[in-house]
Amino acid sequence: MTTTLLAWILAGLGLAVLAVRHRVAAVCLVTGQAMVLMALAFHDARETGDLIAASALTARTLLLAGLFGLLIRNTRDTRLVHPGLGLVRRIGAGIALALVLIWLVPTIGLGTRAIEQAILAVVALGLVIAATSRATLQQILGIVVVENALVLAALELPGTSWLIELGLAFDLVLLAAVAGAFHRRIVAQFGAGDTAALRSLRD
Amino acid sequence: MTDHQILAVTSVALPALFACLLMITPRRWMTAVSLASGTATGAIAAAVAAGSIIGYRDPEANGWIVLDAAGGLLVAVVGAVGLIGVWVSPAYLRSVDGPAPRSADSPAPRHRGPRVYYSVFFAFWAILLAVPLIGNLGGAWILIEATTAASALLVGFTGKPRALEAGWKYLVLTSLGLGVALLGIALIAAGIPGGGLGALSWRALATYDAGQQAGTVAYLLLIAGLAAKIGWAPVHNWLPDAHSEAPAPVSAILSAALLPTVLLIAWRCQQGLAPA
């Protein structure tokens, strides 16, 4: 019951990330998702390996929060970055894709069906966040939201190795660091983290 | 571990070590050190490949490493393309930076371009050498994701607007694709008895027992995700831009080494799941 509730809180936070425009709010919401995962990992920890996996998630949360905090502080947009789609369309697309994924993917044995649906919903929301945002930082957050869903899936898998959790955490922090470096260079080059400016290669 | 397995681990550890070494190498020695490092890496990769191909009748596999003919072939390709890339990189960097100053009174320009380039190149090469050798689907995904991070930095190396655009597009599209692939891997792992790291070894995939429908969905998600990384239509948008804006040696390694290596993983999954 606790896990199901936390899983749907994760989905709710993902929906909120899709709705907000302010990047500080979006980062706080994604960090909130990571903290929910951390709480779940510690709640379900039974063996030493589980504690190591939970610690890896803690480190991941802290590093990502620090990284995004630094990015926000050091890259001030000189102009407003408008979202690619209006609020209603964004939320509609997120919910629609979530429903499609839930309909397509059969029961797979990740805890209860409700938890599986929450995982698929968060994946869908992350994909839509990345696809509909013009702001580079929002696109990075979309990727992190997708990864958060998959961390939840990994936590629900029986006997998941702490090495896999550690590897996933390391990979995401590395990816976020590289994306952050790109974000900084894009802001320095174009005055804002706006992917609409990255169109010189389009046909 | 057998001698061959130790050699395989060395073929990955060595370029990773050189990547760290090149971060602290003085600029005037960088070309020589990179060429020597590249040659050593290429030689060891060739030895690993030869051992795997010649000994194709007796492939080796434990939870972490697999040494078979298919992997050996890809190690040979990655080793060769990486070595050629290292050997032509000095000429490429000279074309980007201009000729080195001849006067002893005027010091060399202080910038991190070559240092960052070589370090990230060797790190990328090390990860790429590990992919055909990894004996586990979960480990393979982690390595492929790491190649995305390293290669995106190389694609955007010149820092020009078009390179930034190409690198950003590559980073976002392939990361999202790999997220979808990871969902497929999670579904596969859920259907394998036992759980743990061993559940995702190539041999263990044959014990998948969650039903054909779930297995098909899981495999399709995995392939759809890897397709973004391989550059198959319709998720290929990043490929022409990334390959054209990347430095020439990097473009070569992306085309000739990275894409076939990811394809190898897709093939191993198909072979592993086929009995189930």
Side-chain angles (χ1 to χ4, degrees):
Chain A
M1 181 64 184
T2 309
T3 308
T4 306
L5 180 62
L6 288 176
W8 281 105
I9 288 174
L10 214 69
L13 288 171
L15 196 62
V17 175
L18 185 58
V20 300
R21 287 180 57 181
H22 202 273
R23 55 186 194 165
V24 173
V27 167
C28 289
L29 289 166
V30 173
T31 305
Q33 275 193 333
M35 290 171 71
V36 165
L37 288 169
M38 221 171 66
L40 195 54
F42 277 112
H43 176 266
D44 292 343
R46 298 286 178 266
E47 301 166 354
T48 309
D50 297 337
L51 285 173
I52 296 174
S55 304
L57 282 178
T58 307
R60 171 185 179 270
T61 303
L62 294 172
L63 285 169
L64 283 179
L67 180 69
F68 288 130
L70 275 173
L71 276 179
I72 288 174
R73 201 185 107 178
N74 295 336
T75 57
R76 294 190 183 280
D77 290 339
T78 57
R79 55 183 172 80
L80 191 63
V81 180
H82 295 284
L85 280 182
L87 174 64
V88 173
R89 285 188 184 182
R90 289 201 309 274
I91 293 188
I95 292 173
L97 184 59
L99 291 173
V100 165
L101 275 185
I102 288 169
W103 175 66
L104 274 176
V105 179
T107 301
I108 42 187
L110 290 175
T112 64
R113 182 61 184 159
I115 293 174
E116 289 176 4
Q117 290 172 344
I119 290 169
L120 293 170
V122 179
V123 168
L125 290 169
L127 290 173
V128 172
I129 290 167
T132 59
S133 300
R134 280 174 36 174
T136 49
L137 193 60
Q138 300 286 72
Q139 291 187 348
I140 301 171
L141 292 176
I143 295 170
V144 175
V145 168
V146 171
E147 298 271 345
N148 283 345
L150 298 167
V151 167
L152 178 57
L155 288 174
E156 290 303 306
L157 282 172
T160 300
S161 167
W162 59 268
L163 275 173
I164 294 286
E165 291 286 356
L166 204 59
L168 288 178
F170 172 75
D171 252 354
L172 182 61
V173 172
L174 178 66
L175 202 72
V178 170
F182 266 94
H183 169 74
R184 286 189 63 168
R185 293 186 85 171
I186 290 169
V187 171
Q189 182 79 41
F190 298 105
D194 187 352
T195 54
L198 303 175
R199 289 178 179 250
S200 58
L201 288 171
R202 288 172 69 94
D203 293 332
Chain B
M1 286 175 81
T2 64
D3 290 344
H4 196 194
Q5 289 173 3
I6 292 172
L7 197 62
V9 171
T10 307
S11 72
V12 175
L14 207 57
L17 208 62
F18 290 143
C20 300
L21 176 67
L22 285 160
M23 279 300 289
I24 57 173
T25 300
R27 185 182 163 88
R28 62 184 181 276
W29 293 342
M30 202 163 293
T31 300
V33 170
S34 67
L35 293 178
S37 306
T39 306
T41 303
I44 292 186
V48 172
S52 298
I53 293 169
I54 291 169
Y56 71 96
R57 290 185 195 277
D58 298 310
E60 298 177 44
N62 59 28
W64 285 105
I65 300 173
V66 61
L67 295 164
D68 59 4
L73 189 61
L74 264 298
V75 168
V77 169
V78 173
V81 176
L83 178 61
I84 294 169
V86 169
W87 276 85
V88 303
S89 286
Y92 165 76
L93 289 170
R94 274 195 300 276
S95 71
V96 169
D97 292 343
R102 294 176 182 273
S103 167
D105 293 333
S106 58
R110 289 190 62 202
H111 61 85
R112 296 175 299 159
R115 183 166 289 129
V116 170
Y117 174 87
Y118 281 121
S119 301
V120 179
F121 189 99
F122 272 85
F124 178 43
W125 197 9
I127 302 167
L128 213 46
L129 282 167
V131 176
L133 300 172
I134 193 77
N136 187 286
L137 178 56
W141 185 90
I142 290 170
L143 289 171
I144 292 172
E145 182 89 317
T147 64
T148 301
S151 52
L153 285 174
L154 290 169
V155 167
F157 171 72
T158 61
K160 295 175 185 172
R162 291 164 65 101
L164 286 179
E165 179 184 342
W168 181 258
K169 211 188 307 187
Y170 168 57
L171 186 67
V172 172
L173 287 176
T174 55
S175 298
L176 290 175
L178 288 174
V180 172
L182 186 58
L183 179 61
I185 292 172
L187 303 193
I188 291 171
I192 295 176
L197 190 61
L200 290 173
S201 69
W202 302 119
R203 282 191 184 155
L205 294 183
T207 63
Y208 181 83
D209 66 356
Q212 191 170 5
Q213 186 188 8
T216 303
V217 170
Y219 186 65
L220 285 176
L221 283 171
L222 177 65
I223 288 299
L226 292 180
K229 183 71 181 176
I230 298 169
W232 285 345
V235 285
H236 64 290
N237 319 58
W238 60 269
L239 194 146
D241 299 335
H243 286 221
S244 61
E245 295 301 323
V250 175
S251 182
I253 203 169
L254 286 177
S255 304
L258 176 61
L259 304 190
T261 304
V262 178
L263 198 53
L264 173 72
I265 299 303
W267 177 76
R268 286 202 198 283
C269 287
Q270 189 273 330
Q271 292 289 297
L273 287 169

